[in-house]
Structure formats: structure tokens, C-alpha cells
Amino acid sequence: MKENINSTLLFKILPMVATLMLAIVCTVAQPPGGGFPGGRPPGGGYPGGRPPMGDRGWNQGQQTNQMNQMKPKKVRSGSTFKVAGLLRDSIAGTPLAYANVAVLDAEDSSLIKGTLANQNGYFEVDGVPQGECLIRVFIFNYKMKYFPLTVSNNTNMGTLKLIPASTTLGEVTIKTEKPIYAMDGEKLVYNVNEDPSIQTGTTEDALQNAPGVEVDVEGNITLRGVSSVEIWINDKPSKLTEENLKTYLQTLPANALERIEAITNPSAKYATDAEAVINIVTSAHVKSNQFVSFGINGSNQPFVSPWVSYMWAKEKLSVNLFLSGRYSSRRNASESSSYQRRDAEIFGEYDTTWASTAAQKDTNRSGSANFFLGINYEIDSTSEISFDAGGFYNNNKSRYITSRDQTYFELDSFPPFEQNYIDTSRSKTDGWSVMSHAGVDYTKKFDQKGHNLRIGLNGRYSHNASEQWYNRMYDTYFDLDEHRYLLTKFNRYGASLDARYNRPYSDDGEMSYGLRSSYYQMSNDYRRYNDLDGTLVDTLRTYHFNGKETNLNADVNWTHRWGGFTLSTGLGLGVLRDGYEYISDMPFADKGTPIFFTARPSIHLTYRTKSMHNFKLNYSMRMSHPDEEDLSIFRRYGDNNYSTGNPNGLKSGYTHSLEAGWQKYFNKFGNIGLELYGRLSTNEISSLRDAEYDQYLDRIINYSIPYNLGTSWRYGASLNATYRPTGFVNVRLYANVYDYGYRMEYYRDGVHQLDQRDKWSWSVRVNLWAKAFDWLQFTASGNYNSPTLSLMSERKARYSLNFGVRSDLFKRKLSLFVNVQDIFNWGGRFGSGSVNTNPYYLSNSTNKMLNSRYVSAGITLRFGKMELEKKAQEGDGETGDSL
């Protein structure tokens, strides 16, 4: 027992004695020239003339020699300031007492000033001249670390962490550092503050290293190929506009981040319709920020989009303002063929009743303007309130030319005969839309461990209107020529109230409770006239729609950790009242008020080993319910077709998802992962297209009606791998193979029908991202998707190859990018489309962009600066860090 006490005392005293001795050597005994060739440490030639912020594997002996071979003190003219900070163990969070702190000149590593931290790890260095410096920190049993700093005023660097060396002394063992990558429940976590290779970059650079996250040269973010991503900042939606968010990500330094969380299957507590969520958690808060950014983006499609962004923050108040405009012009072409069939006299065979081929060319021109204002006020250290408002206006002009060749087969006539119609139609549509929104959010923090309450109230209004002039001219049957005018107006407005309460009950577990209610009202007017001046009303196709939607949802989520295990469970419950009314002069006018109940359970289990193996097992269930168009008997007529609902017992659908995965993360290499997944949907609602004689049009036309068509499934495996030699280069591979199938049962003309199909499909995507010289970025991606099956249709193969480059100059005050999509114009040469496999209604369509290969480019100018406050750990309050 006595030996144990002595070894413990020795372990405590030895670092202090060694540090004091080294400090005396550093401060007093300094040989001329510092002993470094060229006046800098061996291997000098660092990018930017400074060593990187993270440790670079210098052994303890090298560190000691370099400490004893410093250049003489360097004297710089100009104003002087105070630099302070707090030193902590990166694992235990304990103070680093009596650590040696040296201020070095960034140009030649010569000593400017030096000091020792006190017993609490706090240090102050007075008389530091303005300019570029390196703050070097050393203490026995820890890896030496450099922190770059631009001194322009009195600066508190906040909490600086040092990584323990792998040393065992007596009975004391230093633990391994926190892993850079880990799984935690439903989240894939990238601990940015533990990744020394990215500390000199930006938040956007850090996102490139987060699991599954990709950022193209235009700043657009996807997660595992999904573009429906919601960005959160510090555990709440950012509410920043697209360009404001890009400015924030491209200017906030990576060393101001704690971690990035990627959630690919968000549970009910996120209350989002997005397919994925990325949560950026900062270790610093914006103390002072003033940025004016403006730029212009464009492409040869063409489109052009000028914009201006203003971000201002001072202490407790921040303001974000964004204005933009856009003009675009696009041309497309498509070809399609369709067939209608019926059962023949011989079982299993069909007779064709109608055939059509069509070719269409269209042009689309649009102009739009966008406005956003966001204000955030920190009431005190525990509460804040934010307000946001915005608006959008768009004017759109479309022109279509369609050539169609139709043949009707009159099989019931004697003798049977064919009737052929060839026509050309032209349409002109002018549309405009207005959208506005406003909201207020209040957040209350009860402590710094995650106990908080957030309440939000949001309102939205949208208005869309359009006018269409249409002419159809027949080659032979001139009496069938059509001239018509269509006027539509759509209005939607309402409000929503959200509340989220999070309460940790221990260091290892927390509860989260959510409540959301919303009310929206719709009023749509659809008026069609059989002339061009709006006189002859088309009674069959004219109607008015009123809708009212009331929604109430609640959820509870539980998370607990046992060592390397994390278990997250959640349950969301909701009720929806969906009232509708179709007003029409036709006998199928209809109204109703269905009520639906929903449940959304989920469970996420993960396990992480010390060697950075991560395992996950997830299950979730979602319910889908029919909407008013699925239930109402009202018929929405087109030219040669109609769609209607099915009020006879449509049931809610259920989708069960199960995932099992393994990921292995490497600090130097990157990661590799394998995932097995399955999805089973029952009572799936989908529309079935068929053909019948219509009494109002007096001919055979096609129609669609929704059914609970049975069951569909998808199961497969995906492989993902990232090669990451540094924090500024990575190559990503995503490969996916799966089987999709369905079993569909329904009744047609009183006869039971059964259709069951499945198809194996695969896809592969390779992405490259590299950043050089701190100002030049490259991206390249290749994608291939094999033909895929869906309900009674098959989508054709799709592939593309893209390349982009971006340059950030003059300390990111000027950014330029060029992006080339579909380099080989495969979309224009081969197009994309689908094949309908319904035995009674066959169709085949191909859509082509006249030039799918297009070049987009942009320029951005930024003026201003950002000053951050580091958040001190272990309850030490907040200190300042000026960047």
C-alpha cells in the first residue's frame, strides 16, 4: 500500500518538476540560431509556414530537444496585447498545471514570449505584439501542440486541449482518446474537435469528412445521395436560407465545431418531413459577426441568379438578411407510346383497343425573387428567442408543342374497323406564385447538460395562379379541332405550434417529449372554357375545392447508454382530420371529413468497440393514410382520361423498416461499412390505370383509381467505403444491390386479379473531393442506376459523370466555381423514362433534355469578419477567442 502511495505521489510531482526545469531552459539558455537549420524545427516546410494544429507524431525526446534549441526572442514593433487561455486534458478534462506556453513568430518559429500555466491550468501572456503567431503548449506526458492565432486585440483562447501520450507509470494508465467517428443511437457522429487534420479548415471542409455527407462545389449538401436534407445547428433547425447557410458553413472555422451528427432515418423527435438530418454542434458561439456577401450564379441552360446576403451579430443579437433573383430558360423533348387493351376471347390473351404515339417539345422561362429575414436575441445565458420571415415570388411561362398519332380499334363493330387521328397541339401557360412565412421560436436551457425546452409558432400563406391557352388541330377531322382557355387559382394558409422538452435523468440517459399541432385551409378554383376568351364554360372539367386539415402529434423518446451500447426508442402518435368539398355542376360532386390515427414506433441499438468497430440494429414503422383525392368519388377529367377516388374501404398503409450494419473507422484511412436492410409495406395505396367507355365523353378512355393493392418489399445490401488519407482528400464509394417486388390483388369487372413481380437492381456511385493550398477544391462523381421496378412500371437506366472546381481566394473573400453536369451528354443522347407494365394499359416514355450536359458557374464576394467565443468545459463559463 505504501509503494502505491509513493508511486502516485511521484507521478504527480515528476511532471511539475520536469516542466519547471524545461521552462528555465527555454527562457534562459537559448543558443544563437535556435539550433534549427533555417531557424525552424526539422521538417519545417509546413503549409503556410507553420506546423499543423494537431500532433504529428514527434516523440518525447524530439520535443525536449526542440524546446532546448529555441531561437532568441524576436522583437516586433506595433501595439501589444494580452493572450490568455485555459489548458485541459482532452480525455479527463482535468487542468494541466504548470504547463509551458510559448508564443512563437509564425514566420520563423522564433520565440516572442513565454510563461507557465498556474495550478488551475490558466495562463496569461502580456505584451504580445499584433500579427500572426503560434501558441505552443508543452507538458510532460502530453503531446506537444501548436495553435495558430492572429493577434489584433486582447484575446482569450478559451479551453485548449492536449492529448496524453501513451504512457504507463506505476499503477496509473492514460486512457485512449475519444474516437473521431462513432455511432450513437440513430446518429453517426464525427467528433470534429478530435480530428487534428481538419482544424485549419472550414465547417464545409469538416462536412466533407462526416459519414455519408457530400458537398458539391456549389455548396449543395446531400447525405448518402439524398438531397432532402434538413440542416440543424446546435440541436435545432437552422432556418437559414440556402445562400446564408453556405456563407455560414464556408466562413465558420472547423476548430469552432465540437461534432457533426448525421441522421439518415430521423425518429419522431426531429419532427421533420426530410429524409435525413445533419446536426452541426459548435464549441463556440458567434460573439461578433458582420458579413456582406453577394454574387451571381449561372449556367448555359441558361439560368442566371444574382443574390446578396447580410449577416450581423453583436453579443446577444444577430440578424440574417437575404435577397435573390433568378431567371431561367430550359428546353426539353420527350417521346412516348401508349396502348389500351382488354381481355380477348382466348384466356390470357388481349385485344388492343387504342394505340398512341406522341412527341413533345417544350420551353420554360421563369423569373423569381426571394426574401428572408432572421433575427435571434439571447435574453440571457439560459434563454433566447428568434424570429424569421420570408417571401417568394415566381413568374413562369411555358410553351408546348405536341404531335400525336392515335388509332382506335372498334372491335365490337361489324366488321371491326380502325379509326386514325393525327393532331398537333400547342399550349401557352403563364403562371405566377407567391409564398410567405413567419415564425417565432423560444428556447430555455435549464442547465448545460441538455435539459431544455423549445417552443415554436409558425404561419404560412401561398397563392398560385395560372392561365393556359390551348389549341389542338387535326390533320383531317377539322370538326374536332379544339380551342380552350384554362384559369386556375390555389390558396393555402395556416399555422403550426411545436414544443420539444428534453430532460437528461443521468449522465447516461435522457428523455425527450414532443408535441405538434397544425391547421391549414385550402381553396382551389379550376375553371376551363371551350373557347379562347373565357365564355363557354366546360362544365365537365370546372370545379371548386375547399379543404381543411387539422393535425395533432405527440411523441416520447428514451435514450440510454451502457458502456459501448446505446439504446434509443421512440413512439409517436397522431390524429388527422382531413375535411374536403368538391363543388361542381356534375352529379359526382362530393364532400367528406375522414379522421385518421397514426403511430410511429422506432428502436435504434448501436454498439461501439474501443477499436472503432460500430454495429447497429434499427427498426421503425410508419403509417400512411389516403388523402382526399384517394377517397372522394369526384372525377378530375383531362383531355382523354380522368382520375377518381375509391371510398370503399381504403385502409391505412404500414411500412416496416429493418437495418443491420457494421462500420469500421480508421483515423488515417477512412471507413468501410456494410449494411443489410429490408422494407415491407402492406396495404400499399397506389393507383391502377385501366380503360372503359365513358358516358360523358362518349368514347373509350383511360382512368385511374387507387386501391390497397397488397404488399411490396425491398431487401438488399449496401457497401460504402471512404479513403481519407488527409482531412482534405477523400474518395467515396457507394454500391447498392436490392430486390424489389410486389404482390398485388384486386378485382376488375368482378374478377379477381393477381399480379406478382420482382426485379434485382443495383447502383454504384463514386465521388472524389480534394482541397489543395487551402484555396482550391475539386469534386468529381460518377453514377449508374440499373433499370428499377415499381408498381406496374419499370424505370429505365440512368447514368451521369460530373466534375466541378472551386477556388477561394483572398482569405475566402472571393469564391469562384465551375461545375459540369453530365459531361458526355448521356441524358440528351439516351434520356430517361419509364415503361408501364399494366396488362390493360401499356405505355413507354422517354424524356430527353436537348442538352443535358451543362456548365454552371458562380462568383461570390464576402466582406466582414467573425469573432467567436469558445465555450469552456467543466462549468468554467465562457471565454473569448478572436478569429
Side-chain angles (χ1 to χ4, degrees):
M1 183 68 178
K2 189 173 183 178
E3 290 182 7
N4 292 342
I5 295 174
N6 290 336
S7 65
T8 302
L9 290 173
L10 177 64
F11 179 75
K12 290 183 177 180
I13 295 172
L14 184 59
M16 294 164 39
V17 174
T19 302
L20 286 169
M21 293 176 64
L22 287 171
I24 295 171
V25 173
C26 283
T27 308
V28 179
Q30 313 236 0
F36 295 144
R40 63 181 64 200
Y46 299 116
R50 63 180 66 179
M53 291 180 66
D55 62 275
R56 283 296 182 229
W58 292 356
N59 61 44
Q60 209 69 48
Q62 287 176 311
Q63 293 175 342
T64 304
N65 290 335
Q66 290 157 1
M67 292 286 295
N68 287 307
Q69 296 178 7
M70 287 290 299
K71 290 185 66 175
K73 293 184 181 180
K74 183 171 183 176
V75 179
R76 298 196 298 189
S77 60
S79 302
T80 61
F81 303 95
K82 179 191 295 184
V83 175
L86 194 65
L87 304 178
R88 287 284 190 263
D89 183 299
S90 66
I91 299 172
T94 54
L96 299 181
Y98 310 113
N100 178 269
V101 180
V103 181
L104 311 180
D105 185 84
E107 182 179 355
D108 57 8
S109 301
S110 59
L111 178 68
I112 299 175
K113 287 281 186 176
T115 190
L116 291 178
N118 65 17
Q119 62 182 4
N120 298 318
Y122 178 79
F123 71 88
E124 282 187 3
V125 184
D126 292 312
V128 178
Q130 64 182 4
E132 300 287 335
C133 297
L134 293 175
I135 306 300
R136 191 205 56 208
V137 182
F138 172 74
I139 186 171
F140 187 75
N141 268 340
Y142 286 81
K143 296 180 180 180
M144 185 186 297
K145 198 165 184 178
Y146 291 82
F147 301 87
L149 178 66
T150 300
V151 178
S152 59
N153 52 29
N154 292 335
T155 303
N156 192 317
M157 299 183 68
T159 300
L160 307 180
K161 296 180 180 180
L162 265 65
I163 300 173
S166 300
T167 303
T168 302
L169 182 62
E171 296 182 351
V172 180
T173 302
I174 302 297
K175 297 181 180 179
T176 59
E177 59 192 84
K178 190 177 181 180
I180 293 179
Y181 297 100
M183 287 185 181
D184 184 13
E186 62 188 313
K187 300 178 290 190
L188 287 168
V189 181
Y190 170 39
N191 290 303
V192 182
N193 59 354
E194 299 296 335
D195 185 0
S197 68
I198 199 64
Q199 296 301 307
T200 58
T202 66
T203 297
E204 187 181 73
D205 299 331
L207 281 169
Q208 295 281 13
N209 291 273
V213 180
E214 299 165 20
V215 187
D216 66 19
V217 294
E218 300 181 42
N220 302 309
I221 300 173
T222 59
L223 178 57
R224 293 178 64 181
V226 174
S227 59
S228 175
V229 179
E230 188 170 279
I231 304 298
W232 286 35
I233 298 176
N234 292 326
D235 302 315
K236 61 182 180 180
S238 68
K239 291 192 176 183
L240 294 175
T241 63
E242 183 178 354
E243 292 299 335
N244 270 3
L245 181 62
K246 291 177 183 179
T247 298
Y248 180 85
L249 299 178
Q250 292 168 13
T251 54
L252 184 68
N255 61 14
L257 303 184
E258 181 178 337
R259 65 185 182 274
I260 295 174
E261 302 169 346
I263 302 98
T264 56
N265 186 21
S267 60
K269 75 176 184 178
Y270 290 94
T272 178
D273 294 326
E275 297 182 50
V277 170
I278 297 175
N279 184 29
I280 301 170
V281 181
T282 65
S283 58
H285 117 118
V286 178
K287 178 182 179 182
S288 176
N289 174 24
Q290 185 167 342
F291 272 101
V292 176
S293 306
F294 57 90
I296 184 169
N297 302 335
S299 82
N300 64 338
Q301 284 199 330
F303 87 83
V304 61
S305 176
W307 58 271
V308 60
S309 167
Y310 178 69
M311 303 175 68
W312 179 89
K314 191 67 175 178
E315 298 295 341
K316 297 183 176 184
L317 181 65
S318 64
V319 178
N320 297 295
L321 178 64
F322 177 76
L323 299 169
S324 71
R326 180 184 175 97
Y327 172 80
S328 66
S329 177
R330 298 189 177 218
R331 295 185 299 159
N332 295 286
S334 64
E335 299 174 352
S336 63
S337 59
S338 304
Y339 305 88
Q340 292 177 1
R341 305 195 300 183
R342 71 181 188 184
D343 293 314
E345 294 181 359
I346 302 176
F347 180 77
E349 295 187 4
Y350 305 93
D351 290 329
T352 299
T353 60
W354 172 79
S356 171
T357 60
Q360 178 175 289
K361 294 182 179 180
D362 64 85
T363 61
N364 183 282
R365 294 183 176 88
S366 67
S368 62
N370 187 33
F371 160 79
F372 174 82
L373 173 66
I375 301 174
N376 190 85
Y377 179 69
E378 186 178 315
I379 301 172
D380 52 40
S381 60
T382 65
S383 58
E384 65 179 31
I385 190 168
S386 62
F387 168 80
D388 67 275
F392 175 82
Y393 172 79
N394 180 73
N395 185 278
N396 185 79
K397 298 181 182 295
S398 301
R399 306 293 183 264
Y400 293 84
I401 300 178
T402 305
S403 300
R404 190 188 311 271
D405 188 334
Q406 303 179 80
T407 301
Y408 290 86
F409 300 90
E410 304 293 343
L411 303 180
D412 296 327
S413 301
F414 185 81
F417 67 94
E418 301 176 7
Q419 192 84 20
N420 182 252
Y421 302 89
I422 299 176
D423 67 84
T424 300
S425 59
R426 289 177 170 83
S427 70
K428 180 178 73 171
T429 303
D430 294 342
W432 55 95
S433 60
V434 177
M435 186 204 74
S436 62
H437 66 88
V440 60
D441 287 274
Y442 172 76
T443 301
K444 174 67 175 179
K445 297 179 181 179
F446 300 100
D447 58 31
Q448 298 300 319
K449 297 182 179 181
H451 184 195
N452 56 69
L453 172 67
R454 188 173 74 246
I455 300 174
L457 176 63
N458 295 275
R460 291 184 177 273
Y461 169 79
S462 62
H463 171 77
N464 300 278
S466 67
E467 292 181 284
Q468 182 188 71
W469 294 266
Y470 179 88
N471 292 279
R472 175 182 287 182
M473 312 296 290
Y474 286 84
D475 285 7
T476 305
Y477 303 95
F478 304 115
D479 58 318
L480 297 177
D481 290 351
E482 296 180 54
H483 309 279
R484 62 174 182 261
Y485 169 69
L486 176 64
L487 177 63
T488 60
K489 294 181 181 179
F490 302 94
N491 295 284
R492 188 173 191 266
Y493 52 92
S496 62
L497 177 65
D498 299 85
R500 169 70 50 188
Y501 177 66
N502 299 301
R503 178 65 188 267
Y505 56 83
S506 72
D507 291 339
D508 297 316
E510 67 177 24
M511 298 295 296
S512 178
Y513 310 88
L515 183 66
R516 176 183 175 87
S517 63
S518 63
Y519 173 80
Y520 284 95
Q521 190 163 327
M522 292 145 281
S523 176
N524 304 336
D525 211 28
Y526 190 93
R527 296 186 176 275
R528 180 162 156 171
Y529 302 87
N530 291 324
D531 55 21
L532 297 179
D533 56 8
T535 303
L536 300 175
V537 178
D538 185 344
T539 307
L540 180 65
R541 298 177 177 88
T542 295
Y543 66 90
H544 182 84
F545 171 79
N546 292 320
K548 295 180 181 180
E549 182 181 290
T550 305
N551 209 330
L552 179 64
N553 293 279
D555 65 84
V556 58
N557 299 267
W558 172 58
T559 300
H560 196 87
R561 301 169 185 85
W562 297 270
F565 286 95
T566 300
L567 175 65
S568 298
T569 62
L571 176 63
L573 298 174
V575 58
L576 169 67
R577 184 177 183 270
D578 193 3
Y580 64 87
E581 180 182 19
Y582 287 94
I583 302 172
S584 171
D585 292 335
M586 300 302 294
F588 41 74
D590 189 31
K591 65 178 180 179
T593 311
I595 296 176
F596 301 97
F597 296 92
T598 60
R600 188 175 172 179
S602 64
I603 182 169
H604 304 267
L605 177 64
T606 62
Y607 175 66
R608 181 178 72 242
T609 69
K610 293 182 179 179
S611 57
M612 298 179 72
H613 288 274
N614 290 262
F615 303 88
K616 72 173 182 179
L617 182 63
N618 299 334
Y619 167 79
S620 63
M621 188 273 285
R622 294 194 179 196
M623 295 179 63
S624 60
H625 55 78
D627 58 27
E628 69 276 356
E629 291 189 357
D630 294 325
L631 296 172
S632 174
I633 63 171
F634 182 79
R635 295 185 178 187
R636 292 162 293 278
Y637 273 87
D639 293 336
N640 204 36
N641 55 70
Y642 74 84
S643 62
T644 188
N646 182 0
N648 299 318
L650 273 183
K651 302 176 182 178
S652 295
Y654 298 83
T655 298
H656 305 267
S657 299
L658 183 65
E659 298 176 347
W662 162 80
Q663 289 272 354
K664 167 64 175 174
Y665 295 102
F666 308 87
N667 284 344
K668 299 298 182 182
F669 172 82
N671 71 279
I672 185 170
L674 179 66
E675 184 174 293
L676 304 177
Y677 60 88
R679 190 194 71 186
L680 177 67
S681 296
T682 60
N683 291 337
E684 192 166 11
I685 300 172
S686 188
S687 292
L688 183 65
R689 182 167 289 189
D690 209 335
E692 69 172 8
Y693 172 80
D694 183 74
Q695 59 177 324
Y696 301 106
L697 296 178
D698 193 25
R699 60 178 181 268
I700 295 177
I701 65 170
N702 67 77
Y703 69 96
S704 63
I705 185 171
Y707 290 96
N708 287 117
L709 291 175
T711 301
S712 70
W713 62 88
R714 179 192 298 240
Y715 59 86
S718 64
L719 171 70
N720 68 86
T722 301
Y723 174 57
R724 180 182 176 269
T726 76
F728 297 99
V729 176
N730 63 57
V731 180
R732 302 169 186 258
L733 168 68
Y734 301 92
N736 187 26
V737 58
Y738 63 91
D739 177 70
Y740 173 82
Y742 63 85
R743 177 183 173 87
M744 183 173 65
E745 295 186 65
Y746 63 100
Y747 284 88
R748 183 177 187 273
D749 297 332
V751 179
H752 180 262
Q753 305 285 337
L754 174 64
D755 185 18
Q756 180 170 329
R757 303 185 186 195
D758 74 317
K759 182 181 182 65
W760 282 93
S761 302
W762 63 280
S763 64
V764 63
R765 185 171 81 256
V766 179
N767 286 26
L768 166 68
W769 173 74
K771 186 174 183 179
F773 315 116
D774 195 39
W775 57 268
L776 190 62
Q777 293 188 45
F778 301 92
T779 63
S781 64
N783 310 274
Y784 176 79
N785 292 272
S786 71
T788 56
L789 182 70
S790 59
L791 189 63
M792 280 197 171
S793 68
E794 183 173 310
R795 187 172 184 179
K796 299 176 182 179
R798 308 174 307 283
Y799 30 86
S800 66
L801 185 64
N802 313 311
F803 177 78
V805 60
R806 191 179 88 200
S807 180
D808 299 306
L809 306 172
F810 308 113
K811 295 184 178 180
R812 298 187 181 87
K813 287 183 172 62
L814 172 65
S815 294
L816 306 167
F817 79 82
V818 177
N819 204 18
V820 184
Q821 296 287 328
D822 195 6
I823 295 174
F824 298 106
N825 199 30
W826 288 328
R829 292 162 57 192
F830 307 110
S832 62
S834 62
V835 176
N836 192 310
T837 58
N838 185 333
Y840 299 101
Y841 184 86
L842 302 178
S843 67
N844 187 324
S845 66
T846 300
N847 300 312
K848 296 182 179 179
M849 294 182 63
L850 296 184
N851 184 12
S852 68
R853 176 181 55 227
Y854 67 93
V855 179
S856 58
I859 180 172
T860 299
L861 294 170
R862 303 183 186 92
F863 300 95
K865 68 176 183 178
M866 180 181 292
E867 185 179 351
L868 302 176
E869 274 188 341
K870 287 284 186 180
K871 297 176 182 175
Q873 304 297 317
E874 306 296 326
D876 290 319
E878 293 186 343
T879 55
D881 184 15
S882 176
L883 299 178

